[in-house]
Amino acid sequence: MSPTKAVENRREQILREAARLFAERGFHGVGVDEIGAAVGISGPGLYRHFAGKDAMLAELLVGISDRLLSAGRMRVAEAADPAEALDALIRGHIDFAIDDRPLITLHDRELDRLRDSDRKLVRQLQRQYVEEWVAVVRRVYPDATELEARAAVHAVFGLLNSTPHLGAQSGLPDRAGMAALLHRLALSALEALDGGPALDSDDDRRVTF
C-alpha cells in the first residue's frame, strides 16, 4: 500500500470512529484522546491528520452531503429512464440511511456547531441533492406539482432518515430485510402523488431538509 493510500485509510478510520463517538456521546462529550484510542494512536497523533475535533465534524458533514449529491447525480445519469433513476436514488439513500446512521444523528444534533461557511456549504449541497430528487420525481409523476413533488421528497427523506431511532432491537429485520422494507415504504409514499388534492404555495414553507 502506498503511503498516500495508508494516510487516506487512516483518515477514513479516524472519521468513522469520530462519527460513532460523537453520535453516541455528543460532540462535547468526546475528547481527542478517546478518538485516538479508538483507532490505536495517541490523541496528539490525530493532529497529523486533522486540526482538531471541529475539523473532523466539518469533514464528516460536508463530506457526506457531497457524496450523496455526487452519487445521486451519477445514478440519475446512468439510469435508462426516470423510473429506474428514482429507484436508484431510493436504493442509494437507503444504503446511506442504514450504513451511516451516526452521520444522520450528527447532522440533527451538531450542524449548528459548524462555522458559517461550512454550514452554508452543507445546506447548499443538500438543496442540490433535493433538486435532483424533485426533478426525477416530477418525470415519474408528471401530474404532480413542483410543491407536491418537493413535499413528497422531504417526507421520504424523513422516513428513510429515521433509522437512528431503530436502535438494535432483536425484533428488527436484518440489513437486507430492513433495506427491502424501507424501499417499499418509500415507493408507497411517492405513489401517493398519483392522486389527492394539490398543495397551496403556503404549504411549502413548512418543508425543510
Side-chain angles (χ1 to χ4, degrees):
M1 181 184 298
S2 70
T4 300
K5 188 64 176 177
V7 170
E8 290 176 353
N9 288 346
R10 177 47 64 93
R11 283 176 62 86
E12 291 173 1
Q13 183 185 22
I14 292 169
L15 287 172
R16 182 170 59 252
E17 291 303 314
R20 179 182 65 81
L21 290 169
F22 291 159
E24 288 177 355
R25 300 186 219 167
F27 181 74
H28 287 305
V30 178
V32 171
D33 288 343
E34 294 173 276
I35 299 172
V39 297
I41 62 177
S42 67
L46 289 180
Y47 292 107
R48 293 197 298 269
H49 301 278
F50 297 97
K53 290 197 307 177
D54 289 339
M56 294 180 207
L57 182 63
E59 186 155 338
L60 283 166
L61 294 181
V62 173
I64 190 55
S65 299
D66 183 57
R67 290 196 299 276
L68 281 171
L69 175 59
S70 298
R73 285 174 169 169
M74 182 179 67
R75 291 186 177 95
V76 172
E78 293 176 348
D81 54 52
E84 184 177 306
L86 182 58
D87 188 74
L89 285 173
I90 292 171
R91 292 182 185 278
H93 200 96
I94 287 172
D95 286 341
F96 156 69
I98 292 177
D99 297 332
D100 292 303
R101 289 190 288 176
L103 293 178
I104 298 175
T105 301
L106 280 187
H107 178 275
D108 290 345
R109 292 180 184 170
E110 313 290 359
L111 180 63
D112 288 343
R113 299 192 188 279
L114 296 182
R115 61 183 182 181
D116 287 346
S117 59
D118 288 330
R119 187 168 60 253
K120 288 177 181 177
L121 179 55
V122 168
R123 291 301 193 190
Q124 178 185 6
L125 293 168
Q126 289 174 343
R127 284 193 295 270
Q128 293 175 33
Y129 182 57
V130 169
E131 293 310 313
E132 286 292 320
W133 276 70
V134 170
V136 171
V137 166
R138 293 199 72 194
R139 289 198 292 272
V140 176
Y141 299 100
D143 292 335
T145 67
E146 181 176 351
L147 294 180
E148 289 172 329
R150 194 176 305 279
V153 167
H154 282 286
V156 168
F157 285 167
L159 187 159
L160 299 181
N161 291 347
S162 67
T163 50
H165 303 292
L166 297 177
Q169 302 172 30
S170 59
L172 291 173
D174 59 15
R175 190 199 185 284
M178 194 68 222
L181 175 60
L182 290 173
H183 184 260
R184 293 195 302 273
L185 291 171
L187 285 177
S188 296
L190 292 170
E191 285 170 1
L193 290 170
D194 268 341
L199 288 177
D200 293 332
S201 60
D202 288 345
D203 291 326
D204 191 48
R205 292 199 298 266
R206 298 193 295 270
V207 179
T208 57
F209 183 62

